[in-house]
Amino acid sequence: MFRLTSQILRNQNCLIAINANSRCLASSAKLNEAPPKAKVEKAVAPSQSFVANFFRGKVESSQVFPYPYNLTEEESETLSMVIDPVSRFFSDINDPFKNDDSADIDQKTLDALWELGAFAIQVPTELGGMGANNTQYGRLCQIVGANDLGVGICIGAHQSIGFKGILLYGTDEQKKKYLPKVSTEKVYAAFALTEPSSGSDAASIRSRAVLSPDGKHYILNGSKIWISNGGWANVMTVFAQTEATDPKTGEKKDKITAFIVERGFGGVTNGPPEKKMGIKCSNTAEVYFEDTKIPIENVLGGVGNGFKVAMNILNNGRFGMAASLSGTMAACIQKAAEHASQRVQFGKKIEEYGAIQEKLARMALHQYATESMAFMISSNMDGGSKDYHLEAAISKVFASESAWYVCDEAIQILGGMGYMKNTGLERVLRDLRIFRIFEGSNDILRLFVALSGIQYAGAHLKELQKALKNPANNLGLLFKEVSKRAYRKAGIGGVDLSGQVDPSLADAAKLCAQSIDIFGQTVESLLVKYGKNIIEQQFILKCLADSAIDIYAMGCVLSRCSRTIKLGLDSAEHEKLLAKAWCTEAAERCTLNNKKIHDARYTTIYPQYTQISKNICSAQGVANSNPLNI
Ligand code: MYA
């Protein structure tokens, strides 16, 4: 698992994260031991992230309350003007059934997308794009997600990851050279990271680029798999190992570097389109590089910085998936509601039955929470936040699982009709399956969220450790910490969100606040109990991540609903129902997850899971006998 694991295990002296960015996890098990002298200790870089902070049991509300909304009037107007043609493209030109059947998008449809500017939504207008910000992009993604996820992947792989690195890290020359091409010249872009032996473990790629003797080129060799747009792209962001020199020590070692690679550089070939379960019309292919000569000007983001470039491209685009899938869910809910309000069984419309009502309500809760997350993150990004990585990862995990659930329930409500191809839901279900796998599998992202949050909390414990060594100079901090713990013990104090939400949501806000309190205490107790070994406790880390997802979703819906109430929007009463119901259920799940961490009734099952899994693997299949014993 994560390289940070091995790093921590190697560094046996490391007690608590040295700084918020280091991969050294926290352990307060040995709070009183002196840290190794050689380490240079930096203060914990404060994070504005709501999620990182609630790992400490603290509310950092600046990105969540009030609900951020940064579109100017002009930006709203521009967006409204674009929504209409994009919607008309989907109603009049695009045919998702045909795309799925042919596993292709015909030229006329692609041309129409190019004409719309759909391939360059966020490229500045002076370089040929639409110049949209993240929030405007998210709103357009919703329309795409509601209509055709396969087309969404084609345009998403192009701009959300394919050339996003050029937007984020490109030099002026790189931007001027490449962005007009990928915006207006029908040149497709792709993001080439994954390799046959390197999926979730992105840092282990083997493709290699070697500097030419004259220092003018890199020569790239390697192969990439499952590259979206891989068969079409003429411009690719490619990641490869290169020899890099540590500026501090002068030591040479392999580090990943990102490159802008043109197919025309030579030695670039691709395999046939993969035959997939869903998103069939999007092109997915292997891409091979054989002695591809890349000019050094095409290094993107600096030699040796490629891993960070890759991670930040992915971090930057993830909210788009949440936005898109909130649109997909809305479309599924529409189909389910239309059916439920027309279909009569046992003498009544099926919408009148509790079994259907519960389904529709839960579907709406998931859609509401996903949409609230997506636009909270996009607004924070537009507002200049740099602390959105955990939130973006959560939005991807939550959106992809919610959309799967919502589509599945829509099919259930439509019954046999839902299973038929013509209804369009079976295609959506197939399309949706990959969203839990790609762009960071949900399992990996859960660990990323849990470990990063713990690391942040641990870094703060480290500060406390330092303060304890010099109490006279740190009275303020120590007093705050001691009182916090004393109040907690007495069952008073703790997190209070009542001032942040509309008074009508006070009870729901209390549930969120209590969940944060319990969560913070749990994280601290885990650091004390496991120290650095927490990284090995994946059963527990999953519970933490699940609670983190639920708590963030609670914050998002409470904040959004409070804004809706404040603005006096027509949907305020409906949204209150959604926010209250979400918080009730989410807080219950947090309580359960907490039990799964601490309570022996639950934790004893983990070694059982381990043994069952070992048995299955050693039997290479089901390890129990057949009841007939034949
Ligand atoms: S593209 C392929 C997607 N692949 C992945 O996402 C790979 C998943 N793996 C990872 O994310 C990483 O390897 C993990 C790190 C998380 C496992 N942000 O030692 P480390 C820093 C910023 O922990 P590892 C695809 O699917 C870290 O702080 N920094 O690393 C396309 C440390 O820095 P320092 C990060 O153990 C699908 C350093 O890196 C992050 O290797 C097409 C090393 O850390 C981070 N997240 O594990 C989709 N993580 O050294 C189409 C680590 O300074 C798109 N670091 O301490 C369509 C979209 C639009 C949708 C539209 C539809 C309609």
Side-chain angles (χ1 to χ4, degrees):
M1 194 42 239
F2 290 22
R3 222 151 313 282
L4 80 94
T5 315
S6 52
Q7 194 174 320
I8 288 162
L9 295 179
R10 266 199 317 274
N11 184 2
Q12 292 298 323
N13 285 325
C14 175
L15 304 178
I16 300 185
I18 302 306
N19 67 63
N21 292 321
S22 95
R23 303 304 290 169
C24 189
L25 264 192
S27 157
S28 61
K30 298 178 187 168
L31 266 183
N32 294 321
E33 263 181 34
K37 280 205 177 103
K39 286 256 176 262
V40 179
E41 294 188 4
K42 295 187 211 154
V44 182
S47 170
Q48 302 297 304
S49 159
F50 182 71
V51 175
N53 278 287
F54 69 59
F55 271 81
R56 301 172 55 204
K58 181 175 175 271
V59 169
E60 166 54 63
S61 58
S62 58
Q63 294 197 16
V64 174
F65 299 107
Y67 193 78
Y69 182 83
N70 297 322
L71 284 193
T72 61
E73 228 168 82
E74 199 188 330
E75 285 166 343
S76 303
E77 266 172 35
T78 325
L79 178 60
S80 313
M81 277 158 52
V82 185
I83 283 180
D84 191 41
V86 172
S87 304
R88 260 188 287 121
F89 162 82
F90 282 108
S91 58
D92 301 352
I93 299 174
N94 188 60
D95 181 349
F97 291 95
K98 181 172 162 235
N99 294 345
D100 184 57
D101 278 345
S102 63
D104 200 5
I105 309 173
D106 63 34
Q107 198 53 47
K108 186 178 130 242
T109 307
L110 287 171
D111 288 346
L113 279 168
W114 279 103
E115 227 157 84
L116 268 177
F119 282 99
I121 298 173
Q122 293 194 272
V123 174
T125 46
E126 62 274 20
L127 293 172
M130 230 185 242
N133 61 22
N134 291 298
T135 302
Q136 292 169 314
Y137 174 75
R139 181 67 189 93
L140 297 177
C141 280
Q142 279 194 303
I143 302 172
V144 179
N147 287 283
D148 192 336
L149 288 168
V151 165
I153 294 308
C154 169
I155 62 175
H158 176 77
Q159 60 200 309
S160 178
I161 52 177
F163 67 73
K164 179 64 81 60
I166 304 178
L167 266 180
L168 295 178
Y169 294 101
T171 59
D172 281 349
E173 290 71 31
Q174 289 171 339
K175 286 181 185 171
K176 277 188 203 136
K177 180 168 180 191
Y178 289 106
L179 292 179
K181 281 187 204 290
V182 296
S183 302
T184 59
E185 294 176 25
K186 299 192 181 174
V187 170
Y188 293 96
F191 177 86
L193 174 66
T194 304
E195 298 185 0
S197 62
S198 168
S200 291
D201 185 3
S204 68
I205 55 168
R206 293 184 185 166
S207 290
R208 188 162 190 82
V210 179
L211 195 57
S212 62
D214 64 3
K216 290 190 176 157
H217 292 90
Y218 276 91
I219 309 295
L220 171 67
N221 281 286
S223 58
K224 301 284 177 179
I225 55 167
W226 305 324
I227 304 305
S228 299
N229 292 348
W232 300 357
N234 280 329
V235 170
M236 304 182 200
T237 305
V238 183
F239 299 87
Q241 301 287 355
T242 50
E243 189 178 73
T245 310
D246 186 321
K248 283 183 201 139
T249 61
E251 192 192 337
K252 291 196 167 168
K253 56 179 172 184
D254 275 358
K255 288 195 91 179
I256 296 175
T257 297
F259 297 95
I260 306 167
V261 179
E262 292 180 38
R263 199 176 275 268
F265 288 166
V268 183
T269 50
N270 60 267
E274 300 287 354
K275 292 186 165 56
K276 309 186 292 280
M277 175 183 186
I279 55 163
K280 288 188 181 194
C281 68
S282 67
N283 175 276
T284 312
E286 294 187 2
V287 181
Y288 318 106
F289 302 96
E290 198 182 341
D291 292 334
T292 300
K293 212 170 153 189
I294 313 168
I296 51 166
E297 303 86 76
N298 279 30
V299 166
L300 183 63
V303 175
N305 298 330
F307 189 73
K308 286 270 172 72
V309 170
M311 291 303 113
N312 285 329
I313 291 172
L314 293 166
N315 290 333
N316 191 278
R318 281 192 180 120
F319 83 93
M321 221 173 245
S324 305
L325 296 181
S326 70
T328 313
M329 285 185 252
C332 293
I333 291 170
Q334 186 183 340
K335 282 203 164 105
E338 279 167 8
H339 181 79
S341 53
Q342 283 161 19
R343 177 81 167 164
V344 175
Q345 288 292 280
F346 306 107
K348 279 204 276 189
K349 287 181 179 168
I350 64 169
E351 68 169 348
E352 291 176 41
Y353 296 113
I356 300 293
Q357 289 165 352
E358 184 177 342
K359 283 191 198 305
L360 285 170
R362 282 240 170 80
M363 290 156 74
L365 295 180
H366 282 82
Q367 196 275 340
Y368 186 67
T370 306
E371 193 177 64
S372 308
M373 269 184 200
F375 288 98
M376 179 171 285
I377 298 166
S378 71
S379 293
N380 283 326
M381 290 168 72
D382 289 338
S385 166
K386 300 276 176 258
D387 296 325
Y388 58 80
H389 304 157
L390 300 186
E391 284 78 358
I394 285 179
S395 76
K396 187 273 183 185
V397 173
F398 183 75
S400 56
E401 291 174 8
S402 295
W404 177 262
Y405 166 77
V406 167
C407 183
D408 184 56
E409 286 291 65
I411 290 175
Q412 191 69 19
I413 290 173
L414 270 87
M417 251 171 267
Y419 196 67
M420 297 300 131
K421 230 176 169 164
N422 283 350
T423 312
L425 286 168
E426 68 82 36
R427 183 194 75 250
V428 176
L429 195 74
R430 279 188 287 106
D431 288 348
L432 280 172
R433 188 59 189 85
I434 190 64
F435 284 77
R436 287 154 57 198
I437 298 171
F438 66 14
E439 274 225 343
S441 78
N442 288 9
D443 315 87
I444 283 291
L445 290 182
R446 278 192 162 84
L447 293 172
F448 169 67
V449 168
L451 287 170
S452 304
I454 287 176
Q455 182 188 2
Y456 187 68
H460 281 272
L461 275 181
K462 172 78 179 170
E463 291 218 318
L464 191 57
Q465 175 200 21
K466 275 198 289 183
L468 277 169
K469 280 198 214 120
N470 193 351
N473 282 352
N474 294 288
L475 279 179
L477 172 67
L478 291 177
F479 182 72
K480 234 165 82 187
E481 288 298 325
V482 170
S483 342
K484 193 170 93 183
R485 282 162 176 74
Y487 278 127
R488 253 193 215 160
K489 252 193 166 162
I492 44 177
V495 169
D496 181 7
L497 293 173
S498 57
Q500 316 269 16
V501 302
D502 184 84
S504 63
L505 298 172
D507 288 344
K510 209 167 176 184
L511 292 173
C512 179
Q514 282 165 351
S515 302
I516 293 175
D517 261 333
I518 294 168
F519 188 78
Q521 289 170 43
T522 296
V523 170
E524 194 171 303
S525 70
L526 287 172
L527 283 168
V528 171
K529 181 170 176 189
Y530 291 103
K532 59 184 182 262
N533 296 323
I534 186 64
I535 50 186
E536 309 292 352
Q537 306 297 321
Q538 292 197 358
F539 295 114
I540 286 175
L541 292 170
K542 179 179 177 295
C543 297
L544 279 184
D546 284 342
S547 286
I549 293 168
D550 264 326
I551 293 172
Y552 183 53
M554 282 194 258
C556 292
V557 300
L558 284 167
S559 175
R560 175 178 172 188
C561 182
S562 298
R563 176 175 182 273
T564 301
I565 296 167
K566 194 167 172 203
L567 294 177
L569 302 184
D570 291 346
S571 59
E573 287 308 314
H574 177 68
E575 290 188 41
K576 265 191 225 176
L577 295 171
L578 295 174
K580 287 179 184 179
W582 179 264
C583 289
T584 304
E585 292 200 339
E588 274 302 312
R589 284 191 294 268
C590 288
T591 307
L592 179 62
N593 275 316
N594 201 45
K595 284 188 191 153
K596 284 182 179 174
I597 290 170
H598 291 304
D599 191 326
R601 272 178 304 166
Y602 295 89
T603 54
T604 46
I605 204 165
Y606 302 142
Q608 292 168 7
Y609 287 157
T610 299
Q611 194 52 52
I612 292 169
S613 167
K614 279 184 178 168
N615 295 345
I616 291 170
C617 288
S618 76
Q620 294 285 284
V622 171
N624 44 285
S625 57
N626 183 304
L628 308 179
N629 221 10
I630 306 173

